[in-house]
């Protein structure tokens, strides 16, 4: 019996929708809103028991966004952006989650969202031209059918669990930053081992250290971090932006990460050494990711990037008392090649006597026992292990759904790395859209505006199809191949392929090493608009 017949036998008449959206993060919520505006029936399925996506799950101490809150928010509704009050320069996870809930209330999204429901499979039905989805909830499975499927599954939604021998035998408390307990964790007086030193670790370690009796940080690769200089938002600053919000947002579109980035059009080599240092000092003093935009060649030119590396190295040396420890905390990779981190007192935390670093390059972890993390040197006895080991980024969530198109499975197609046209659709999978999928700027941009741009593109496309009574859209393989080649060519002109980052999938064992995001917001926006202007160039539309 074929896969399809088997399903049909299980459930003779699945519920029918025009569109199913997978995920109730910022992408899924806005997608639902736009589909409703088109007059379509739509249903959102979400594995968690609330909205917010990555902000629903990542509740570790210190979790906050490192894009300024005034631009890490929706802009589709002027009323919404005027009424919402952010309290700090960088919003905390609880505040972002509150905002997500506010949006769900304000646009009455709740009735069309179903929680605690995981989409396990999506199978294209050749006869009807619809997708049949298998849903898992409350120990039961269920099926629904939809003409369109939109994967709003997020770029950082599947935790990367390290395969360390004995981890399951650990008798103490074990947490992953990406699935932190909702009730919080009291670490008072505990001996804590933190594995990983990416953004999640760098944000949480100072707060963990404030509670714990001891903190041992197990570092495989040091990361560069720039101080956040977080602060309450100045009401005058907020009022100014709100008086010209649309203009402010438009500026964001000219830049990848937003207006606050103040992208420079100068090369490192256009200025004197003193001017260069002054620029770095100024950006360091203001804080945040904008450091990376000090000169336009930092992401592309090794010699230019080396000047930024040297500057941060000096800063780390100035923040850590023990010079040997400072050296261990100092990366040797290009700045920005792994995602730059933004911290509050990360390096200073290592000056406290109860905080120490275990350099896994010197003494790798051999196994975890019931009571310790063992390295080649010794057993480190701990009560709590915090895995700050990141995510199976960009493709993890989609790859955990068994997606089968008319010609085969998506996981087979993507076995040697994801292939998608504009990160919006993938050839062989009609009427299936990806929000901020691989090959779109996504994680190399401010995610919120990028999500909105994708949702609007997809909604406009479906609206166009409805208007012209077209039932089927599929990306052309040729257009997709050309786009994937272009994504790689652009990446190869940059520093990004030069270290083992999650942008490349290098953090996940066995994952193909392919650079997944597209580097360049303005050319990407132009390309998306051009595709539409040319009647969905690179796609085949039919009845
Ligand atoms: P990241 O940035 O992927 O960091 C994960 C960290 O965990 C990183 O330091 C890894 O070292 C380390 N890691 C992963 N697996 C292991 C094993 N097996 N042993 C030791 N260390 C390990 O994830 P985050 O959650 O911090 O941040 C993700 C993004 O969220 C961030 O970039 C922002 O965009 C927001 P490695 O560098 O791979 O050697």
């Amino acid at each position: 019996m074929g896969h399809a017949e088997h399903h049909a036998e299980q459930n003779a008449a699945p519920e029918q929708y025009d569109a199913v959206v997978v995920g109730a993060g910022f992408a899924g919520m806005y997608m639902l809103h736009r589909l409703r505006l088109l007059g379509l029936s739509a249903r959102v399925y979400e594995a968690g028991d609330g909205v917010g996506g990555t902000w629903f799950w990542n509740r570790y101490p210190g979790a906050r966004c490192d894009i300024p809150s005034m631009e890490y928010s929706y802009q589709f509704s002027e009323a919404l952006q005027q009424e919402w009050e952010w309290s700090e320069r960088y919003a905390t996870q609880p505040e972002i989650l509150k905002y997500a809930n506010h949006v769900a209330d304000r646009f009455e999204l709740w009735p069309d969202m179903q929680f605690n429901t995981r989409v396990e499979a999506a199978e294209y039905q050749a006869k009807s031209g619809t997708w049949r989805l298998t849903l898992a909830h409350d120990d039961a499975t269920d099926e629904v059918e939809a003409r369109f499927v939109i994967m709003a599954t997020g770029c950082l939604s599947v935790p990367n669990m390290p395969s360390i021998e004995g981890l399951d035998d650990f008798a103490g408390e074990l947490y992953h930053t990406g699935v932190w307990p909702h009730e919080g964790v009291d670490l008072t007086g505990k001996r804590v081992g933190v594995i990983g030193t990416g953004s999640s670790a760098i944000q949480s370690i100072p707060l963990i250290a404030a509670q714990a009796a001891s903190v041992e940080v197990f570092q495989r690769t040091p990361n560069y971090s720039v101080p956040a200089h977080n602060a309450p938002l100045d009401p005058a600053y907020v009022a100014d932006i709100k008086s010209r919000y649309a203009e402010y947002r438009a500026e964001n579109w000219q830049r990848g990460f937003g207006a606050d980035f103040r992208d420079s059009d100068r090369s490192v080599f256009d200025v004197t050494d003193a001017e260069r240092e002054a620029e770095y000092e100024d950006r360091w003093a203001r804080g945040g990711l904008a450091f990376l935009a000090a000169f336009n060649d930092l992401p592309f030119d090794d010699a230019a990037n080396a000047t930024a590396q040297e500057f941060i190295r000096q800063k780390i040396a100035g923040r850590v008392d023990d010079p040997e420890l400072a050296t261990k905390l100092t990366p040797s990779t290009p700045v920005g090649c792994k995602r730059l981190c933004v911290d509050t007192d990360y390096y200073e935390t290592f000056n406290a006597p109860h905080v120490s670093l275990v350099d896994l390059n010197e003494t790798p972890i051999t196994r975890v026992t019931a009571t310790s993390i063992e390295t080649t040197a010794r057993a480190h006895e701990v009560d709590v292990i915090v895995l700050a080991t990141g995510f199976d980024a960009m493709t993890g969530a989609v790859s955990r759904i068994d997606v089968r198109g008319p010609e085969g499975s998506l996981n087979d197609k993507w076995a040697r790395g994801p292939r998608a046209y504009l990160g919006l659709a993938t050839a062989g999978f009609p009427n299936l859209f990806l929000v901020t999928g691989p090959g779109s700027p996504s994680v190399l941009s401010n995610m919120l505006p990028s999500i909105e741009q994708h949702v609007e593109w997809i909604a406009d496309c479906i609206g166009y199809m409805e208007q012209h009574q077209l039932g089927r859209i599929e990306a052309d393989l040729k257009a997709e191949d050309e786009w994937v080649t272009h994504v790689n060519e652009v990446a190869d002109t940059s520093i990004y392929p030069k270290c083992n980052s999650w942008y490349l999938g290098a953090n996940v064992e066995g994952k193909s090493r392919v650079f997944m995001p597209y580097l360049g917001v303005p050319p990407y926006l132009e390309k998306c608009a051009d595709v539409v202007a040319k009647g969905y160039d690179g796609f085949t539309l039919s009845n």
Side-chain angles (χ1 to χ4, degrees):
M1 187 189 283
H3 204 68
E5 289 93 315
H6 179 68
H7 276 280
E9 203 175 81
Q10 275 184 342
N11 188 344
E15 196 79 40
Q16 308 276 330
Y17 296 100
D18 290 321
V20 156
V21 179
V22 187
F26 285 109
M29 287 197 294
Y30 184 38
M31 194 72 241
L32 171 61
H33 179 63
R34 292 300 296 233
L35 289 164
R36 280 177 172 179
L37 291 179
L38 289 169
L40 300 180
S41 64
R43 189 94 177 140
V44 176
Y45 296 104
E46 164 60 51
D49 68 1
V51 294
T54 202
W55 299 107
F56 174 84
W57 297 104
N58 281 266
R59 303 186 189 214
Y60 59 84
R64 65 171 79 234
C65 188
D66 54 19
I67 301 284
S69 43
M70 292 303 290
E71 48 191 329
Y72 191 80
S73 52
Y74 288 122
Q75 57 192 298
F76 69 83
S77 160
E78 179 62 14
L80 171 68
Q81 67 180 1
Q82 288 297 335
E83 80 201 4
W84 184 260
E85 301 284 345
W86 294 106
S87 58
E88 293 176 73
R89 176 180 182 188
Y90 298 110
T92 60
Q93 174 273 332
E95 190 167 47
I96 299 173
L97 195 58
K98 209 169 136 197
Y99 173 71
N101 280 278
H102 170 75
V103 171
D105 290 343
R106 194 184 195 293
F107 297 95
E108 295 172 4
L109 301 176
W110 300 108
D112 293 323
M113 299 194 289
Q114 183 175 320
F115 297 94
N116 301 305
T117 302
R118 188 174 285 282
V119 175
E120 293 200 319
E123 189 172 27
Y124 189 73
Q125 313 290 297
K127 248 191 192 165
S128 56
T130 55
W131 285 91
R132 182 170 295 187
L133 296 111
T134 308
L135 314 172
H137 54 89
D138 306 324
D139 299 327
T141 62
D142 191 356
E143 291 184 332
V144 292
E145 279 191 6
R147 295 194 287 134
F148 296 100
V149 173
I150 298 109
M151 295 291 184
T153 38
C155 290
L156 297 168
S157 46
V158 174
N160 173 36
M161 299 302 282
S163 62
I164 300 173
E165 193 196 318
L167 201 54
D168 293 341
D169 303 330
F170 183 61
E173 298 165 58
L174 178 69
Y175 305 108
H176 190 292
T177 48
V179 277
W180 198 260
H182 288 192
E183 62 282 9
V185 178
D186 183 7
L187 296 169
T188 311
K190 303 229 168 102
R191 297 166 303 169
V192 182
V194 179
I195 301 178
T197 48
S199 284
S200 302
I202 283 177
Q203 287 188 334
S204 60
I205 285 167
L207 288 141
I208 292 173
Q211 282 195 346
S214 66
V215 183
E216 290 179 287
V217 178
F218 294 79
Q219 171 187 273
R220 189 162 71 179
T221 317
N223 264 304
Y224 293 101
S225 185
V226 174
H229 297 313
N230 185 41
L233 278 172
D234 172 6
Y237 168 79
V238 172
D240 173 51
I241 289 181
K242 286 193 172 176
S243 73
R244 53 180 183 92
Y245 227 143
E247 191 188 312
Y248 180 73
R249 300 290 198 173
E251 264 178 64
N252 189 345
W253 280 125
Q254 302 308 309
R255 303 142 192 268
F257 280 94
D260 183 70
F261 244 54
R262 293 170 285 119
D263 294 67
S264 166
D265 54 10
R266 295 189 302 180
S267 152
V268 162
F269 306 109
D270 288 343
V271 299
T272 65
D273 289 357
E275 284 168 338
R276 185 187 68 231
E277 290 302 292
E279 181 67 26
Y280 286 146
E281 284 291 357
D282 176 57
R283 291 193 180 237
W284 191 267
R286 293 186 194 212
L289 292 173
F291 183 85
L292 214 48
F295 298 100
N296 63 6
D297 43 358
L298 294 183
F300 300 103
D301 184 297
D302 287 330
N305 193 282
T307 65
Q309 294 169 37
E310 190 44 37
F311 181 87
I312 303 188
R313 286 190 192 122
Q314 296 293 336
K315 290 291 185 194
I316 297 172
R319 292 171 69 182
V320 180
D321 297 342
D322 173 357
E324 206 180 312
L325 181 58
T327 305
K328 287 183 183 174
L329 285 164
T330 303
S332 54
T333 44
V335 177
C337 146
K338 276 175 182 286
R339 173 70 154 62
L340 185 61
C341 302
V342 175
D343 73 280
T344 301
D345 296 337
Y346 173 65
Y347 295 109
E348 289 81 357
T349 300
F350 286 90
N351 295 331
H354 70 301
V355 179
S356 58
L357 186 78
V358 180
D359 185 341
L360 299 180
N361 295 307
E362 290 172 359
T363 57
I365 295 174
T366 48
R367 62 172 185 154
V368 167
T369 70
T371 59
S372 71
I373 300 171
E374 276 187 16
T375 66
T376 48
R378 66 179 177 91
H380 299 259
E381 297 289 330
V382 288
D383 305 307
V384 180
I385 296 178
V386 174
L387 299 172
T389 47
F391 301 90
D392 182 352
M394 304 207 60
T395 55
V398 173
S399 72
R400 276 159 182 77
I401 301 171
D402 185 12
V403 180
R404 289 175 189 272
E407 296 150 35
S409 103
L410 185 60
N411 281 330
D412 286 347
K413 180 181 170 180
W414 284 9
R416 282 183 294 127
R419 304 185 70 80
Y421 183 40
L422 303 171
L424 277 163
T426 181
F429 298 84
N431 292 10
L432 183 137
F433 294 99
L434 308 162
V435 182
T436 62
S440 71
S442 57
V443 293
L444 289 181
S445 69
N446 177 355
M447 284 303 298
L448 256 278
S450 281
I451 282 171
E452 281 185 307
Q453 184 247 338
H454 264 202
V455 166
E456 285 165 15
W457 195 97
I458 294 165
D460 290 349
C461 175
I462 294 176
Y464 174 88
M465 290 173 69
E466 295 289 289
Q467 202 185 346
H468 294 85
Q469 289 167 0
L470 296 163
R472 192 179 197 274
I473 182 167
E474 186 179 339
D476 297 338
L477 193 56
K478 183 168 171 285
E480 176 172 294
D481 286 346
E482 284 169 5
W483 182 252
V484 172
T485 302
H486 173 64
V487 171
N488 285 296
E489 280 169 359
V490 176
D492 287 340
T493 64
S494 78
I495 54 158
Y496 285 103
K498 295 187 178 171
C499 47
N500 295 324
S501 68
W502 57 258
Y503 297 137
L504 285 156
N507 61 327
V508 176
E509 276 175 52
K511 191 164 173 173
S512 296
R513 193 184 166 104
V514 174
F515 190 72
M516 294 181 281
Y518 178 64
L519 183 57
V521 170
Y524 179 80
L525 297 176
E526 216 170 284
K527 171 77 182 175
C528 286
D530 192 50
V531 162
V532 176
K534 291 184 177 147
Y536 291 93
D537 188 31
F539 289 91
T540 299
L541 287 141
S542 58
N543 300 323

